Amino acid sequence: MASVIAASSFAGQAVRAAPRSAAARSARRTAVAPRAMLETQRMATSFDGFKFEPIRESQISRAMTARYMTDMHEHAEVDIVIVGAGSAGLAAAYELSKHPDVKVAIIEQGVAPGGGSWLGGQLFSAMCIRKPAHKFLDELQVPYEDEGSFVVVRHAALMTSTLLSKVLAAPNIKLFNATAAEDLVVKQDEKQGKYVAGAVTNWTLVSLNHDTQMCMDPNVIESKVMISSCGHDGPMGAAGVKRLMRLGMVEKVPGMGALDMNTAEDSVVDRTREVVPGMVICGMEVAELDGCPRMGPTFGAMYMSGLKAAQVALNSLRRQQEEEAAAEAGQEGKEMVAA
Ligand SMILES: Cc1cc2nc3c(=O)[nH]c(=O)nc-3n(C[C@H](O)[C@H](O)[C@H](O)COP(=O)(O)OP(=O)(O)OC[C@H]3O[C@@H](n4cnc5c(N)ncnc54)[C@H](O)[C@@H]3O)c2cc1C
């Protein structure tokens, strides 16, 4: 059968189609599009005559570096460091944003925070959350469809971007992304034995090149409490609990158990805790440490575990602050008696 070749003006591709077919008519419409586009471009918009303020390139460099270095300087010592900005870590950070007196740093090895919460199961869009965790969505004002015992957010990215925007806007929270926690700071005293006192950090691109370059020492963030929310086992995942095991501070990290939604989510929230002095674990890292079943693509436990981790961390922080205050008062009392 005879056919004609119609040119597609956009991609310059040849389109083979029968004469007077729907495809031929469509190709013809495509061919006239540029003229219509030119006319549209000539019509007035509010950007006619638009011009940016003048700039020197060095101003931009200084604006970025001064702020970043100030942030690093100010966050060399924090109250709470969160390692891992997935669903659990971000929920913990959100809860801590309600306590402006608590200084928080988040360390995230990826450029994009959010961990595994940009999609639902098997790369689908929808995010399922079992009740009563939907109350967290109400608080964040994220819309959902009610399915009875669970709710569905139409795109996981809607939930993650909303949560992220609230965390990033909080004045007491600083996110250091593209930064990996390479190790823990661990100290020891008579009262509590070994305890976690901070995160050993490095820019992730540096961490990834330790084998190919020399002299790449890390940096340190001292913390009163760490929330470890590093997610599943993997090259970086479950980094907090795996390091504790190598240090002999926990016995073993068996890895998550087989899938059982009903028991998995309750166990993760229940077992979210201060696992060693100074370190709280949450999210899938809990399942890795305790061998709890995995829950599959239902995210309520990640959010509830993160919120609980924040409360556990705050309790630990307040206890430490009270002990410090009592010790200081005791010292002052001794000095007064001596005087
Ligand atoms: C193989 C696989 C299986 C899964 N199975 C399940 C399942 O059974 N149940 C389920 O609910 N979900 C599952 N998921 C989906 C999803 O990962 C989790 O639900 C959810 O994202 C876990 O939340 P989280 O906050 O604990 O960890 P994540 O979302 O994984 O977030 C952890 C974050 O920590 C960061 N991080 C890790 N180590 C470091 C470090 N050393 N320094 C700095 N940052 C670090 C990571 O970059 C990441 O952003 C699975 C995902 C994968 C890939």
Side-chain angles (χ1 to χ4, degrees):
M1 187 189 283
S3 63
V4 295
I5 303 293
S8 155
S9 59
F10 277 95
Q13 284 173 338
V15 178
R16 192 173 291 275
R20 290 187 294 280
S21 67
R25 285 196 299 279
S26 156
R28 183 169 153 62
R29 273 202 299 279
T30 309
V32 298
R35 199 181 305 152
M37 279 171 60
L38 281 175
E39 274 167 23
T40 311
Q41 276 166 21
R42 269 188 234 111
M43 289 164 76
T45 74
S46 59
F47 286 88
D48 295 350
F50 178 91
K51 216 166 174 342
F52 285 102
E53 294 285 333
I55 194 75
R56 286 188 57 203
E57 285 74 5
S58 55
Q59 286 177 275
I60 298 291
S61 298
R62 289 194 179 110
M64 291 188 301
T65 51
R67 281 168 180 77
Y68 197 85
M69 293 309 162
T70 303
D71 281 336
M72 286 183 84
H73 187 268
E74 283 179 0
H75 293 82
E77 203 175 347
V78 297
D79 294 315
I80 299 179
V81 63
I82 299 175
V83 181
S87 38
L90 287 175
Y94 173 79
E95 187 67 14
L96 294 172
S97 72
K98 297 174 187 169
H99 301 267
D101 61 315
V102 176
K103 192 198 274 190
V104 180
I106 309 176
I107 308 298
E108 167 52 52
Q109 55 98 14
V111 172
S117 60
W118 291 106
L119 289 160
Q122 202 175 318
L123 309 186
F124 297 139
S125 312
M127 175 185 262
C128 299
I129 294 175
R130 285 167 64 204
K131 289 182 179 177
H134 69 296
K135 289 180 187 159
F136 186 44
L137 305 187
D138 293 339
E139 185 172 332
L140 296 174
Q141 294 184 314
V142 172
Y144 53 76
E145 286 170 53
D146 198 323
E147 295 271 0
S149 61
F150 67 102
V151 300
V152 184
V153 181
R154 67 190 157 118
H155 204 303
L158 173 61
M159 172 61 184
T160 302
S161 58
T162 306
L163 176 57
L164 193 53
S165 69
K166 294 194 188 299
V167 165
L168 292 177
N172 63 324
I173 295 175
K174 167 65 191 173
L175 167 70
F176 293 98
N177 49 338
T179 304
E182 291 189 342
D183 203 350
L184 305 171
V185 179
V186 173
K187 301 195 184 237
Q188 190 161 4
D189 65 20
E190 276 178 17
K191 194 166 150 266
Q192 51 187 347
K194 282 187 181 170
Y195 64 97
V196 173
V200 177
T201 66
N202 219 326
W203 282 316
T204 305
L205 291 177
V206 176
S207 291
L208 292 173
N209 280 290
H210 280 313
D211 293 341
T212 60
Q213 305 292 319
M214 294 188 304
C215 300
M216 302 199 300
D217 273 340
N219 196 9
V220 172
I221 294 182
E222 277 189 53
S223 63
K224 300 247 178 2
V225 189
M226 172 184 288
I227 295 179
S228 189
S229 42
C230 296
H232 290 286
D233 197 3
M236 288 279 192
V241 293
K242 283 195 294 190
R243 187 65 181 127
L244 286 183
M245 182 179 67
R246 287 199 299 276
L247 293 167
M249 293 172 75
V250 298
E251 212 175 289
K252 55 185 172 61
V253 179
M256 62 185 173
L259 196 149
D260 176 2
M261 263 184 208
N262 271 311
T263 53
E265 291 208 274
D266 292 338
S267 328
V268 164
V269 179
D270 181 48
R271 289 159 185 263
T272 297
R273 64 193 184 279
E274 188 166 5
V275 65
V276 297
M279 184 163 146
V280 177
I281 51 166
C282 64
M284 287 309 286
E285 208 167 358
V286 175
E288 293 288 345
L289 177 67
D290 289 351
C292 314
R294 58 192 294 185
M295 69 281 305
T298 162
F299 282 77
M302 298 301 111
Y303 295 125
M304 296 303 103
S305 170
L307 297 179
K308 179 178 173 184
Q311 291 182 13
V312 176
L314 281 171
N315 289 344
S316 176
L317 179 66
R318 300 300 184 215
R319 181 183 44 77
Q320 291 180 48
Q321 287 169 340
E322 278 167 24
E323 283 170 4
E324 274 167 28
E328 266 174 38
Q331 186 59 31
E332 275 171 22
K334 275 186 200 158
E335 284 167 7
M336 279 173 70
V337 171

